[in-house]
């Protein structure tokens, strides 16, 4: 008799944990959407804010919008219905699955590259204060995401082999 009440209480805790995790993800998604959108709006509405560093920060905010739009809903769905299921079936589901995983990788790469360019720009401004800037706001308007438009297989990896394949895509 004691075992059945213990197992019921742990099952209830599992549901409580799922609800709390989903709620936390919803808060993260909402805050990320609002915060990144505000950063983008402020930088592009105010012409004085269109400096090199701010353009790169806006670039990071745009790439960071991919996370709450695609990755967080996937995580919430996996918490609620389980990791082995994907909500969208068919060819659309396969495309969406691959795009979600791709957008997570691209968002991370763009954010890292933007931070590297900001660091280089600040280093150049401190080290050579009287020289003109290497990275101008006009150059920053070129989307850094274009650099990641094509993904290539790692060297010495046969096309279609399992080496270098991201295991996240197998869940969909």
């Amino acid at each position: 008799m004691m075992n059945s009440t213990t197992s019921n209480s742990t099952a209830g805790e599992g549901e409580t944990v799922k609800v709390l995790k989903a709620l936390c993800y919803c808060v993260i998604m909402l805050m990320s959407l609002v915060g990144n959108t505000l950063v983008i709006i402020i930088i592009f509405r105010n012409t004085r804010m269109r400096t090199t560093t701010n353009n790169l920060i806006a670039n990071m905010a745009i790439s960071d919008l991919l996370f709450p739009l695609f990755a967080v809903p996937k995580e919430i769905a996996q918490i609620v219905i389980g990791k082995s299921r994907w909500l969208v079936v068919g060819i659309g589901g396969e495309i969406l699955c691959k795009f979600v995983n791709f957008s997570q990788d691209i968002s991370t790469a763009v954010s890292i590259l933007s931070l590297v360019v900001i660091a280089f720009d600040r280093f150049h401004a401190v080290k050579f204060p009287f020289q003109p800037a290497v990275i101008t706001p006009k150059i920053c308007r070129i989307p850094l995401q274009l650099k990641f438009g094509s993904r290539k297989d790692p060297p010495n990896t046969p096309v279609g082999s399992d080496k270098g394949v991201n295991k996240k895509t197998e869940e969909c």
Side-chain angles (χ1 to χ4, degrees):
M1 191 75 171
M2 188 177 209
N3 266 344
S4 65
T5 53
T6 306
S7 65
N8 285 342
S9 66
T10 56
E13 288 175 9
E15 291 299 317
T16 305
V17 170
K18 283 183 180 182
V19 169
L20 286 175
K21 281 183 180 180
L23 183 64
C24 288
Y25 271 117
C26 288
V27 169
I28 290 170
M29 182 172 69
L30 180 66
M31 296 298 285
S32 180
L33 284 171
V34 170
N36 286 320
T37 305
L38 284 175
V39 166
I40 294 165
I41 289 171
I42 289 169
I43 290 174
F44 286 112
R45 280 199 179 166
N46 189 350
T47 55
R48 291 184 331 150
M49 295 291 291
R50 294 184 194 165
T51 63
T52 301
T53 303
N54 288 344
N55 282 339
L56 290 165
I57 290 172
N59 186 49
M60 280 193 322
I62 291 169
S63 74
D64 288 345
L65 279 175
L66 293 174
F67 181 73
L69 291 176
F70 296 107
V72 174
K74 175 187 169 193
E75 292 297 323
I76 292 172
Q78 287 182 351
I79 288 170
V80 174
I81 63 171
K83 289 192 179 214
S84 62
R85 291 195 51 205
W86 183 250
L87 289 177
V88 184
V89 294
I91 189 77
E94 288 182 30
I95 292 171
L96 186 61
C97 172
K98 298 206 185 304
F99 183 74
V100 166
N101 292 318
F102 178 75
S103 69
Q104 286 175 326
D105 294 341
I106 290 300
S107 177
T108 303
V110 169
S111 293
I112 290 170
L113 184 61
S114 295
L115 288 171
V116 168
V117 173
I118 289 171
F120 176 76
D121 180 57
R122 294 293 83 211
F123 168 77
H124 189 269
V126 170
K127 181 78 174 168
F128 308 107
F130 299 113
Q131 291 183 357
V134 175
I135 303 169
T136 63
K138 190 173 185 177
I139 291 174
C140 287
R141 289 187 191 138
I142 300 169
L144 292 175
Q145 289 91 339
L146 292 178
K147 294 183 187 279
F148 297 102
S150 63
R151 291 179 73 174
K152 296 180 181 177
D153 287 336
N156 301 326
T157 302
V159 176
S161 72
D162 287 341
K163 290 182 181 178
V165 173
N166 192 349
K167 296 299 180 188
K168 290 190 287 187
T169 57
E170 294 177 0
E171 294 175 359
C172 300

